[in-house]
Amino acid sequence: AGPDRIMLEGGQIVVLASANGTGLQYLWTPVQFTNNPNVLQPTISINRDTSLWLTVTNNVGCVDSSSVKIKVIGSLVVPNAFSPNNDGINDKWVIPLLETYTNCEVLIFNRQGQQIFSSIGYNTPWDGTLKGQPLPVGTYYYIINPRNGRSRYTGWVQLIR
C-alpha cells in the first residue's frame, strides 16, 4: 500500500502504492476517503489519522492486502526565515506539507506592498528572487490562502544571505 504519509488537515495526497501482475483489481477501504477506491494510487482526503487497506486480486483469484497509515497534522507551520545563498541549506522557503493543499494560493510582498511572488499550489518553493534576480536581505510578507475552507495564514519571512 506504499509508505506511511503525513498531510495537513483539509489537504489531500496521493497514496504511493505499487503492485505487479496481470489483470489486477484494486480495492481501497474505507472507500469514502478515496477519490476512486478501484485505482492503485488514489487521492486521499481525510481529517484525522487513518489506516487505509489495499486489497489486490489478480486474474486467477489470488488476493493480497497491505495497509498504509496517514497521519494528519492540524495546522500549517510556516518558517519565518531562509537564506538563499546557494550553500545547499535553507536556500528556498520550504513550507512543510503545504503541497497537500493542492490548490492553495501563496502571495509574497515586499515592504512597499509590491507583489514579488505568487503561485497556485506550492510545488516550487520561493527562492528569494524576482524575475530571476536575487532580492535584497529584508523582511517580506506573505498571504497563504489554503482555498479549502480553512482560514488564511499571514505573516512575515526574513530573507537572510
Side-chain angles (χ1 to χ4, degrees):
D4 292 347
R5 304 288 309 271
I6 300 174
M7 64 182 282
L8 288 169
E9 183 178 6
Q12 47 180 245
I13 58 169
V14 174
V15 178
L16 302 175
S18 61
N20 295 312
T22 56
L24 300 180
Q25 294 180 334
Y26 310 106
L27 178 61
W28 286 95
T29 55
V31 299
Q32 68 269 23
F33 300 132
T34 71
N35 67 327
N36 183 343
N38 303 116
V39 298
L40 181 59
Q41 296 185 335
T43 299
I44 305 299
S45 298
I46 58 173
N47 286 317
R48 60 182 167 81
D49 295 355
T50 303
S51 289
L52 299 168
W53 282 91
L54 171 62
T55 301
V56 179
T57 306
N58 72 7
N59 59 349
V60 293
C62 294
V63 177
D64 196 8
S65 62
S66 178
S67 68
V68 61
K69 292 178 185 176
I70 311 294
K71 178 160 183 64
V72 178
I73 305 297
S75 65
L76 193 60
V77 176
V78 182
N80 63 2
F82 74 115
S83 58
N85 57 7
N86 295 318
D87 68 355
I89 302 169
N90 296 319
D91 285 332
K92 295 184 178 186
W93 190 45
V94 176
I95 304 170
L97 303 174
L98 185 56
E99 73 278 0
T100 67
Y101 289 165
T102 56
N103 196 36
C104 71
E105 179 181 42
V106 178
L107 303 171
I108 301 173
F109 303 88
N110 64 18
R111 286 181 167 226
Q112 293 75 37
Q114 175 190 13
Q115 183 177 305
I116 57 163
F117 177 88
S118 69
S119 72
I120 301 299
Y122 198 63
N123 296 324
T124 305
W126 181 45
D127 62 1
T129 65
L130 174 62
K131 297 179 183 175
Q133 298 301 311
L135 287 164
V137 167
T139 303
Y140 295 84
Y141 303 90
Y142 66 83
I143 299 171
I144 300 171
N145 183 354
R147 290 185 164 174
N148 63 0
R150 297 182 65 89
S151 298
R152 291 179 180 196
Y153 296 84
T154 60
W156 56 270
V157 59
Q158 186 72 33
L159 191 152
I160 304 167
R161 297 218 187 260

